[in-house]
Amino acid sequence: MALALGFSGFYIVNYVFETSLAREVGQALDESSILSFAFQTAALNVPAKYSVLPDNTVEEISANLANGGRSSGRRLIRISGEEKKVLFISDGFAAATDNELLIQTDEVTKSYRVISAKEGYYVHTCVAITALDRILYLETMRDVSEVFTERALGFSLYRRVTMIMLAAGTVIMHFISSVLTKPIRLLTRATKRMAAGDYSYRAKCVSRDELGQLTRDFNHMANALEENIDKLEQEIEAKEEFMGAFAHELKTPLTAIIGYADMLRSHKLDEEKSFMSANYIYTEGKRLEALAFRLLDIIVAKRDEVQMQEVSTEDIFAYLQDMFADGRGMVFYFDYDKDVVLAETNLIKTVLVNLIDNACKASEPGSEIDVYGYTVEGGYCFGIKDYGIGIPEQEQHKITKAFYMVDKSRSRSKNGAGLGLALCVEILKIHGSELQIESEPGEGSFISFVLPRQEGYTNEK
Ligand code: ADP
């Protein structure tokens, strides 16, 4: 822009200069014509006794022409004779020493040039005058220094404007580029922070254009990344917790087994004590075996490779009624809607048996346990209600974790290891369902889950 302005400025100033100079030249030539006409007229008015125009008369007329007609100073003229011999020269005629134009001019040509002298710039004209019997040469000098000064002023003005434009342009471009590249700088900072491990850092969105969109997409990606990292961290934590709890669960039966085995091998025990020790070893061994089976069940359930079938709820409830036919010291009440659900039969039966088992363990002998099954919008709901000890609210979200038991000694005394609900959660996950726990300590619990109806599945109620 500055260059374009500089060039166009140069062009405009030069154009104005050339027009002004041409105008001045025109005026100088006009003035020269007027003067030569005036000279000729004055020569004609010379008294008739002179048949020739003597040099002193030429000088006289010239002096009159040089002095007259002008309010502001004298005219700069020079009159030369036939041999180009100078007859009159006004004071300050700058080209006095240079006769080039005079030599070039003949009787018919009218010539001019622009010259620079010490005092300034002039348009120098030369023309031949025929006066009486003589041919004389009239030279004029017109001061055009102002045109040159104006040109110099114009150039200097445009130089200054160009410099100001350059400076202002630099500042403005710097500002614009810093505004335009700000989203990129913020994005770069965000990537560096994230690369350094600060996954919660987000790039600030400062524009609505494509770069703004890029920043928003970057932040979405960062959100997804952070979520995945959080999930991985939680999984690692859960695994560590699981390992710790598992080791702890192994320790208790193993300590008992080792203790009793040591007693058997190092002491001579009577028959009753030997039997008791062997019995402890057997029951604790059985607990370990049950623990191993449960863990295996969880691992298998996590593999996700199960075959879903259509199962009638009648079959499921018939199985449960058979399973708990002995009553286990409780009063069972089964109530269900006939329907068909899509499930892996054995796994769903495992879930229900576990939940009913838990309800039995939590209740006093003789309590009522209700097992419900009813069709709901979007699926089929199974629910187990007991009137036992209940679960405190702050414990409700923990009981589905592996090895978690609200009351460890009570659960262990009932052969629990805190794995039942963890297994249920894994199985239900495969079925696209989850456990709902409603419980009031001292009043009992209602634990339920809904098996969602699959698309294209028809309800045969
Ligand atoms: P387990 O029954 O083998 O101890 P679970 O994972 O089935 O393990 O249950 C975890 C814990 O949740 C139990 O130890 C018990 O404290 C609590 N719990 C589960 N179901 C009930 C219930 N119906 N009423 C009260 N507490 C329950």
Side-chain angles (χ1 to χ4, degrees):
M1 272 170 70
L3 272 179
L5 192 85
F7 278 121
S8 59
F10 174 81
Y11 177 77
I12 291 167
V13 170
N14 226 29
Y15 177 75
V16 170
F17 165 76
E18 289 198 340
T19 355
S20 306
L21 193 63
R23 198 180 54 238
E24 290 291 333
V25 167
Q27 281 178 2
L29 291 172
D30 286 351
E31 197 178 20
S32 156
S33 304
I34 292 166
L35 284 177
S36 55
F37 181 70
F39 192 93
Q40 281 165 334
T41 317
L44 284 176
N45 290 338
V46 169
K49 60 174 176 175
Y50 298 113
S51 54
V52 290
L53 197 59
D55 283 356
N56 59 342
T57 312
V58 169
E59 221 173 299
E60 214 174 286
I61 299 171
S62 305
N64 275 341
L65 284 180
N67 295 328
R70 274 209 165 183
S71 50
S72 55
R74 292 152 52 84
R75 283 198 181 96
L76 298 175
I77 58 170
R78 183 164 72 168
I79 303 282
S80 313
E82 286 79 0
E83 302 305 317
K84 311 265 167 108
K85 183 175 143 256
V86 176
L87 301 175
F88 173 82
I89 180 162
S90 45
D91 295 341
F93 192 95
T97 47
D98 178 4
N99 289 335
E100 207 178 302
L101 194 67
L102 182 61
I103 293 160
Q104 274 172 22
T105 312
D106 55 27
E107 290 164 32
V108 288
T109 50
K110 198 180 196 183
S111 45
Y112 76 90
R113 61 177 181 169
V114 179
I115 54 162
S116 98
K118 244 193 292 162
E119 301 79 17
Y121 290 89
Y122 296 90
V123 178
H124 181 196
T125 67
C126 186
V127 66
I129 314 172
T130 319
L132 297 179
D133 59 335
R134 299 196 64 170
I135 292 180
L136 303 166
Y137 293 92
L138 166 69
E139 287 172 87
T140 63
M141 292 277 269
R142 185 179 172 83
D143 188 354
V144 290
S145 307
E146 215 169 287
V147 177
F148 281 84
T149 317
E150 269 170 17
R151 181 172 72 160
L153 277 176
F155 281 159
S156 115
L157 180 75
Y158 267 100
R159 248 195 320 274
R160 259 178 288 152
V161 169
T162 307
M163 294 319 269
I164 291 169
M165 281 288 292
L166 262 178
T170 309
V171 172
I172 291 168
M173 283 314 290
H174 181 78
F175 175 73
I176 290 174
S177 68
S178 102
V179 167
L180 285 179
T181 56
K182 193 171 180 195
I184 299 175
R185 283 201 310 279
L186 291 174
L187 260 180
T188 314
R189 190 184 306 162
T191 48
K192 279 185 185 155
R193 291 281 292 267
M194 286 186 71
D198 185 358
Y199 298 110
S200 60
Y201 190 83
R202 294 289 174 272
K204 208 171 140 199
C205 190
V206 288
S207 64
R208 286 157 184 248
D209 54 9
E210 288 80 356
L211 284 175
Q213 188 56 47
L214 181 66
T215 309
R216 281 191 290 279
D217 290 346
F218 176 84
N219 285 344
H220 279 148
M221 185 198 73
N223 285 344
L225 197 69
E226 194 186 11
E227 254 171 47
N228 279 344
I229 288 170
D230 281 352
K231 224 158 112 188
L232 280 176
E233 277 173 357
Q234 277 169 13
E235 268 173 27
I236 292 170
E237 212 173 291
K239 274 198 180 130
E240 277 172 5
E241 236 173 69
F242 181 89
M243 294 301 286
F246 178 56
H248 186 79
E249 284 310 307
L250 278 184
K251 222 175 82 187
T252 323
L254 277 177
T255 316
I257 289 170
I258 293 164
Y260 283 111
D262 190 38
M263 216 157 80
L264 277 176
R265 68 169 191 169
S266 51
H267 299 90
K268 260 203 175 283
L269 298 173
D270 59 37
E271 205 173 316
E272 194 191 341
K273 277 190 177 159
S274 298
F275 175 76
M276 206 186 72
S277 303
N279 196 40
Y280 267 120
I281 292 171
Y282 176 77
T283 47
E284 290 303 302
K286 271 286 184 199
R287 257 172 59 121
L288 276 180
E289 188 190 36
L291 193 81
F293 282 139
R294 273 278 162 84
L295 275 176
L296 264 177
D297 285 346
I298 292 178
I299 290 164
V300 170
K302 274 189 177 176
R303 287 224 177 113
D304 222 358
E305 291 164 3
V306 287
Q307 282 288 316
M308 300 285 184
Q309 314 117 14
E310 289 189 353
V311 198
S312 94
T313 55
E314 248 180 321
D315 286 353
I316 297 175
F317 274 87
Y319 169 81
L320 293 176
Q321 277 164 331
D322 269 3
M323 184 85 183
F324 293 94
D326 60 353
R328 300 205 185 174
M330 307 289 165
V331 180
F332 280 100
Y333 173 73
F334 292 92
D335 180 25
Y336 63 95
D337 289 342
K338 286 181 188 166
D339 203 341
V340 175
V341 292
L342 198 64
E344 209 292 337
T345 325
N346 289 330
L347 292 180
I348 282 302
K349 283 177 185 167
T350 307
V351 172
L352 289 164
V353 168
N354 263 300
L355 295 180
I356 298 170
D357 243 353
N358 279 351
C360 295
K361 284 191 236 166
S363 308
E364 291 298 321
S367 300
E368 181 181 320
I369 289 172
D370 307 327
V371 184
Y372 298 109
Y374 43 88
T375 305
V376 291
E377 200 185 326
Y380 192 89
C381 178
F382 289 95
I384 288 95
K385 169 106 193 85
D386 69 60
Y387 302 88
I389 51 168
I391 310 155
E393 203 184 332
Q394 68 276 13
E395 305 279 352
Q396 286 177 14
H397 68 281
K398 300 183 196 163
I399 57 168
T400 51
K401 283 188 186 165
F403 302 110
Y404 193 84
M405 294 165 262
V406 177
D407 182 342
K408 283 193 182 352
S409 53
R410 187 189 157 97
S411 293
R412 286 209 184 103
S413 71
K414 301 202 171 193
N415 241 349
L419 285 175
L421 290 181
L423 175 64
C424 293
V425 165
E426 290 306 326
I427 293 174
L428 290 179
K429 229 189 248 175
I430 304 169
H431 289 79
S433 178
E434 57 185 9
L435 276 184
Q436 300 291 331
I437 300 167
E438 293 162 40
S439 187
E440 198 59 51
E443 291 191 13
S445 317
F446 179 63
I447 301 189
S448 61
F449 63 91
V450 175
L451 281 186
R453 199 172 301 290
Q454 310 292 318
E455 238 168 84
Y457 174 85
T458 46
N459 182 3
E460 288 176 24
K461 199 167 171 185

